[in-house]
Amino acid sequence: MKIALIAHDKKKDDMVRFTEAYQYSLEKHELFATGTTGLRISENTGLEIHRFQSGPLGGDQQIGAMVADNSMDMIIFFRDPLTAQPHEPDISALMRLCDVYSIPLATNMGSAEILIHALERGDLKWREIIRDKKG
């Protein structure tokens, strides 16, 4: 499965802790991340991650392009709802694309843990079937 990991500045520590806790599961998948988030995860876990630009420089849009191309299976995006983001339209567009293409999206630690456990149980295998049909 292809999994994108994104975190706003004030949520990057949470993302690092999350990926440390679920490293055993994440290492079995192809990981993508926006710039600094990917660097922090890689430095702290050793996980192999394809890094895009940072969010404000187009990283969210690069991941969105993968969603629109049906080549992203899941997104974990730790958003900071209390801080204004200069690239909020890009964030909204990414979330809209997830809804349009039925891509599982977690925006906080609680929903991310549910998705990871579903991934471990094989509950998201349907993504492979859909991806293969359209590909």
Side-chain angles (χ1 to χ4, degrees):
M1 302 286 275
K2 293 182 180 181
I3 302 170
L5 304 167
I6 309 168
H8 285 149
D9 288 345
K10 291 184 179 178
K11 298 294 183 173
K12 289 189 190 324
D13 289 340
D14 288 344
M15 180 61 79
V16 168
R17 284 191 293 275
F18 177 82
T19 55
E20 287 172 336
Y22 292 103
Q23 182 173 345
Y24 66 90
S25 183
L26 292 169
E27 67 190 4
K28 300 170 190 164
H29 302 280
E30 194 173 349
L31 304 177
F32 300 82
T34 49
T36 307
T37 301
L39 180 63
R40 295 263 322 266
I41 292 167
S42 182
E43 288 175 343
N44 285 279
T45 65
L47 288 167
E48 186 176 322
I49 300 175
H50 174 85
R51 290 176 50 218
F52 289 114
Q53 298 291 331
S54 70
L57 297 178
D60 298 331
Q61 291 180 337
Q62 289 175 297
I63 291 171
M66 288 186 73
V67 170
D69 194 37
N70 197 41
S71 59
M72 183 61 67
D73 297 304
M74 182 170 82
I75 297 178
I76 297 174
F77 186 171
F78 288 176
R79 298 176 61 231
D80 177 4
L82 302 178
T83 304
Q85 303 297 327
H87 61 296
E88 188 64 40
D90 299 338
I91 297 163
S92 295
L94 176 60
M95 293 172 57
R96 184 182 72 75
L97 284 171
C98 287
D99 288 341
V100 168
Y101 292 97
S102 298
I103 303 301
L105 168 68
T107 59
N108 58 58
M109 185 79 72
S111 58
E113 287 187 330
I114 289 169
L115 278 185
I116 285 292
H117 291 296
L119 183 66
E120 291 170 349
R121 284 190 310 264
D123 295 348
L124 300 176
K125 290 281 188 192
W126 61 270
R127 276 295 310 150
E128 294 173 11
I129 296 167
I130 289 174
R131 190 177 60 241
D132 292 344
K133 272 188 177 179
K134 291 184 179 179

